[in-house]
Amino acid sequence: QVQLVESGGGLVQAGGSLRLSCEASGRTFGSYGMGWFRQGPGKVREFVAAITRSGDRKYYADSVKGRFTISRDNAKNTVYLQMNSLKPEDTAVYYCAANPSELFSLNYHHVPSYGSWGQGTQVTVSS
C-alpha cells in the first residue's frame, strides 16, 4: 500500500475553481493508476476521474467531463485535480486513491479496485 494525503479543498463560489493535490509516499508511485472519488453527506462514494500509471490516458465521470482535469507528476509523487466551473452539486469530500491492478482500463471507476485511500479534503461550492 501507498500512503496518500489530499490537500487544496475549501469554500468557493459557484463558477469558481479549485486545484486539489494528492501526495503519495514511497518509491512505487509510478506503479499505480490513480483515481479521484467524492462522497457527499448521506451519499455513496462516486468516481470522478482517473489517470493511468504514465498519465497517457485519462477517464472522467460524465458529470465532470469538460470541467475537471486530472494530471500527475511522477517525479513529485503527486496527482492533481483541477476543478473549474464548479457547481453546488460538486460539494463533497474528495478522496484520491491508488489502484495496483493490471486491468486499470476495466476497473478505474470501481471503488473496491483501489487498495489505498487518502483521508479526503472537503470541497464546498456555494450557490
Side-chain angles (χ1 to χ4, degrees):
Q1 293 185 330
V2 58
Q3 293 187 342
L4 307 171
V5 180
E6 303 96 337
S7 63
L11 176 65
V12 65
Q13 293 182 342
S17 298
L18 284 174
R19 180 179 173 87
L20 306 183
S21 298
C22 175
E23 295 184 78
S25 64
R27 299 188 298 273
T28 59
F29 179 69
S31 298
Y32 298 92
M34 298 295 296
W36 285 97
F37 293 77
R38 66 187 183 187
Q39 187 170 17
K43 297 182 178 180
V44 68
R45 190 167 300 188
E46 67 175 356
F47 167 74
V48 176
I51 187 168
T52 56
R53 294 171 179 177
S54 65
D56 61 337
R57 296 193 67 179
K58 303 174 182 180
Y59 307 90
Y60 298 96
D62 289 342
S63 60
V64 307
K65 190 172 296 183
R67 299 188 298 120
F68 291 10
T69 302
I70 189 171
S71 61
R72 69 190 296 163
D73 186 341
N74 287 354
K76 295 182 177 180
N77 279 17
T78 303
V79 177
Y80 305 96
L81 185 68
Q82 179 66 46
M83 305 185 295
N84 299 326
S85 302
L86 283 162
K87 305 174 181 179
E89 49 263 48
D90 295 318
T91 295
V93 177
Y94 283 70
Y95 300 89
C96 68
N99 188 330
S101 177
E102 297 289 339
L103 302 176
F104 187 67
S105 64
L106 299 177
N107 64 31
Y108 62 86
H109 62 285
H110 195 220
V111 167
S113 296
Y114 289 78
S116 300
W117 294 82
Q119 293 293 106
T121 185
Q122 177 71 48
V123 172
T124 303
V125 184
S126 62
S127 61

